Amino acid sequence: MAINRVGSTDEFKALVAEITSQDGYREPIAFGITRVDRGQKNANNVLQANYPLINWNENFGSAAIFIKAIQEANHTVDFSGSEFVTTLNDNMINNAMNAFAPYLGEAIGDAHKNVQVVKALDNMEDVAKDFRVCFLFEDAPAQSVEAVYLKLYALSQSKVPLRSLNLDGAFGILTNVAWVGNTPYELEYLRENEIEMKVNGTFPNIDSVDKFPRYLQHIIPADNTRILEASKVRMGAQLAGGTTVMPGASYINFNAGTLGSVMVEGRISSSAIVGAGSDVGGGASILGVLSGTDGNPISIGENTLLGANSTCGIPLGDGCILDGGVAIFAGTKVKIKPEQLALINEANPEANLTEQEVYRADSLQGLNGLHFRQNSTTGEIVVNRSVREVKLNAELH
């Protein structure tokens, strides 16, 4: 069976309505066509999924057409699970082209991007070799490489907020591979062919070995964003426009990132979020949920400075300063003088901190205008009211 060529936009809308009214139809929360890189040794092993376009809670008409194109190619779409992935074929592409006929001439630039994807595939041979389509019907733990990458794209393209997606099990699904540029190689394939490849000069120059690719292998950054070394940002990170990631000790993990112009010279671990105008100093470290925060995700407010080689293990509000080399964890004991306590309460009226000899650092989490310092004589960590506004150099962002 096949979809007859649609002659007008009204006919297209009627077709979409017919498709979505079928028994058991579920509207996907996300979908996209992806080019997959398969294993050199085991072609059934998907190593990477490249999405030219992802759709997240949008373009439901295109989703309906993709589903109908699959069904008319004598394939069943399983709506019962949280996701559905299937291999494309020429029949499916022909069906989609017929359905999208009213829009084919308009599909350029920013218009009708799903149609642009189908048009590009229509000019290719043997799409079944490299292309698949993935639908997510709910945000459940991913069951396929295609679903994991769809979520990573959603994060890195700012389709969804950081820390909003279910990424449980992603590490177990992705394969540890050798990355050569944007091409993943199975490690077992390299081991088996090492001698021959080195003899004939075809052994690749390996950039890294990881389950995740680099951010810049898949994502075009927002304007005014600078990443001076590609290895410093992992796919699944989210970088707001104006972010600068310097080389050296900087690093941004997946499901972590920035909300505005931020200078990054330190480490932003998975699940950590940094607000606009803040500065993560050289070698500074923001702990992730798996690296010392006992599952408490850390957000850093706006215009906050983390000094060089400092360690932040609690959430901070706006206008805070963590001096260089100072390490703050949830259970760190800190002291606040009465006059400084009054100023901190003034800046945070909802906190209403009472005077006491020492405080646990996590009792101050999320407060604005804190300045953490270490007494060089006693070694005590003291907290004062921050008296200076942290501003980034606008010319650098």
Side-chain angles (χ1 to χ4, degrees):
M1 299 176 66
I3 297 177
N4 294 324
R5 189 174 181 84
V6 174
S8 67
T9 56
D10 287 340
E11 287 184 25
F12 178 86
K13 293 174 182 178
L15 175 60
V16 169
E18 176 187 331
I19 297 167
T20 57
S21 65
Q22 65 181 271
D23 289 343
Y25 185 89
R26 293 177 70 190
E27 205 164 64
I29 63 170
F31 68 96
I33 290 174
T34 180
R35 181 181 63 78
V36 296
D37 287 314
R38 301 180 183 274
Q40 293 81 8
K41 180 180 178 182
N42 179 6
N44 293 322
N45 186 15
V46 175
L47 306 182
Q48 176 180 222
N50 298 269
Y51 284 90
L53 176 71
I54 70 160
N55 304 267
W56 200 280
N57 284 320
E58 60 188 335
N59 299 322
F60 300 112
S62 293
I65 296 303
F66 289 164
I67 287 171
K68 184 66 172 177
I70 294 168
Q71 292 172 330
E72 292 297 327
N74 295 319
H75 289 261
T76 299
V77 177
D78 184 2
F79 295 104
S80 65
S82 61
E83 68 182 67
F84 174 73
V85 182
T86 192
T87 299
L88 292 179
N89 60 38
D90 293 334
N91 193 0
M92 296 175 191
I93 298 302
N94 291 336
N95 282 329
M97 286 287 288
N98 285 338
F100 286 135
Y103 303 101
L104 294 177
E106 304 171 3
I108 56 175
D110 289 331
H112 309 300
K113 290 189 174 181
N114 282 296
V115 182
Q116 292 182 46
V117 173
V118 172
K119 285 177 63 178
L121 290 172
D122 188 52
N123 293 322
M124 300 180 68
E125 296 181 358
D126 193 19
V127 296
K129 178 183 177 182
D130 297 318
F131 290 92
R132 311 193 84 190
V133 60
C134 177
F135 301 90
L136 300 185
F137 297 110
E138 58 188 80
D139 183 23
Q143 301 170 26
S144 65
V145 172
E146 293 86 352
V148 171
Y149 269 82
L150 184 51
K151 292 186 176 187
L152 294 178
Y153 267 91
L155 288 166
S156 287
Q157 292 182 346
S158 300
K159 297 276 189 178
V160 297
L162 289 165
R163 303 200 299 237
S164 67
L165 295 183
N166 188 335
L167 297 173
D168 293 348
F171 263 91
I173 290 172
L174 299 183
T175 303
N176 211 31
V177 298
W179 293 96
V180 179
N182 198 28
T183 301
Y185 280 79
E186 287 175 306
L187 295 174
E188 189 60 29
Y189 170 81
L190 292 177
R191 293 188 186 104
E192 289 188 2
N193 294 277
E194 179 181 7
I195 293 176
E196 181 179 351
M197 295 176 79
K198 287 182 175 178
V199 167
N200 61 31
T202 60
F203 191 82
N205 181 13
I206 298 172
D207 298 307
S208 62
V209 176
D210 193 8
K211 291 174 178 283
F212 288 71
R214 296 169 177 179
Y215 176 92
L216 290 177
Q217 290 174 213
H218 290 266
I219 303 298
I220 301 173
D223 289 344
N224 300 321
T225 298
R226 295 188 297 156
I227 302 171
L228 277 68
E229 190 175 328
S231 64
K232 298 303 181 181
V233 187
R234 213 176 192 189
M235 181 62 177
Q238 188 174 115
L239 275 60
T243 297
T244 295
V245 184
M246 298 295 286
S250 62
Y251 184 68
I252 304 178
N253 209 338
F254 76 102
N255 201 26
T258 63
L259 302 180
S261 296
V262 172
M263 174 61 75
V264 181
E265 296 180 276
R267 186 169 72 247
I268 303 176
S269 299
S270 182
S271 79
I273 301 175
V274 182
S278 290
D279 189 331
V280 183
S285 179
I286 305 172
L287 301 187
V289 292
L290 299 178
S291 57
T293 70
D294 197 24
N296 182 25
I298 295 182
S299 295
I300 303 298
E302 298 183 354
N303 302 317
T304 285
L305 170 65
L306 303 184
N309 297 318
S310 62
T311 301
C312 183
I314 64 170
L316 297 177
D318 299 336
C320 293
I321 301 173
L322 183 57
D323 273 5
V326 173
I328 298 297
F329 304 99
T332 300
K333 302 300 188 294
V334 302
K335 288 190 173 183
I336 308 175
K337 292 181 178 179
E339 63 271 22
Q340 294 296 325
L341 181 64
L343 295 173
I344 291 170
N345 276 328
E346 182 181 355
N348 300 276
E350 75 288 349
N352 194 28
L353 296 170
T354 58
E355 186 176 337
Q356 56 194 68
E357 183 176 356
V358 295
Y359 301 79
R360 278 176 57 101
D362 59 359
S363 67
L364 308 176
Q365 68 178 23
L367 298 187
N368 301 318
L370 303 179
H371 187 170
F372 293 85
R373 312 190 72 175
Q374 185 168 30
N375 186 310
S376 60
T377 301
T378 66
E380 294 174 333
I381 304 296
V382 297
V383 182
N384 295 332
R385 172 68 170 89
S386 175
V387 296
R388 64 189 179 96
E389 183 180 4
V390 179
K391 286 188 176 181
L392 297 177
N393 187 337
E395 294 182 357
L396 299 179
H397 293 268

